[in-house]
Amino acid sequence: MVPDFDDENIIPSPAMEVYQPIDQEGWSGRLFVRAQHDPYALVPAINRTIHAMAADQPVERASTLGDIRAEVLTPNRLNAIVFGGFAAVALLISVVGVAGVLAFSVSGRTREFGIRMALGAHPRSILSIVLAEGMIIAVIGVAAGAVVGFSLARVTARYVAEMQVPGALAFTASAVVILGAAIIAAAVPAARAARVNPVEALRTE
């Protein structure tokens, strides 16, 4: 009886392992060499040493652990880059959407802001009003997206084997990023609202 052990993959994964007698399977092994300088410069000397010990022993694929790790992780890195690109595009669309909605709201409420400032409202209060509207939009969107996304992930996990549902940390980090982006998107319309000239805003009244 032996415990589960994965000595072939950097990221452990369930795999069936069959133990056979060495005479039946044939011998093959790995030689690890610690190097202080360029490890590939030692390959010819290592090959000569091995062939001196066993002339018929083949030596295949000399590579560093770093190269092997990079090769194994290449698909995961590619997936991360692709999905990260889609996430960046989605975040950009959400930022543009929030900024557009607030810009339209500010343009429609120019007279209101002018009246408020004519009555003594400080530009900082106007700035806070617009930023608060942007945060409300972002919070509603984040809440709806979190509920729908988490529900779809749970439903999909029932039909897709070995699917990992993102934890609370991933949802929290995503929410913080989106809220931060919403604040940045709301800053431009808010600054424009805070610079409204009461005289110009009330000229048509």
Side-chain angles (χ1 to χ4, degrees), residues 40 43 47 59-64 67:
Y40 288 105
V43 173
N47 290 339
V59 180
E60 300 177 353
R61 194 185 177 190
S63 58
T64 64
D67 293 340

Side-chain angles (χ1 to χ4, degrees), residues 12-105:
S13 60
M16 183 178 65
E17 187 74 22
V18 179
Y19 292 85
Q20 298 177 345
I22 190 172
D23 295 335
Q24 177 180 347
E25 184 179 4
W27 184 85
S28 64
R30 301 182 180 92
L31 175 64
F32 291 89
V33 178
R34 183 185 297 274
Q36 296 181 352
H37 302 289
D38 182 15
Y40 288 105
L42 301 176
V43 173
I46 294 173
N47 290 339
R48 288 194 300 268
T49 302
I50 294 177
H51 290 156
M53 298 173 60
D56 59 346
Q57 175 62 45
V59 180
E60 300 177 353
R61 194 185 177 190
S63 58
T64 64
L65 292 178
D67 293 340
I68 296 175
R69 179 181 178 86
E71 180 180 353
V72 172
L73 295 180
T74 295
N76 294 333
R77 290 177 178 173
L78 180 60
N79 291 335
I81 292 174
V82 172
F83 287 107
F86 284 122
V89 172
L91 182 61
L92 178 62
I93 293 174
S94 64
V95 168
V96 172
V98 171
V101 170
L102 291 179
F104 180 78
S105 174

Side-chain angles (χ1 to χ4, degrees), residues 124-151:
R124 188 179 304 171
S125 63
I126 304 297
L127 182 68
S128 301
I129 292 174
V130 179
L131 287 177
E133 290 181 358
M135 288 301 300
I136 291 174
I137 295 174
V139 169
I140 294 175
V142 168
V147 172
V148 174
F150 187 75
S151 301

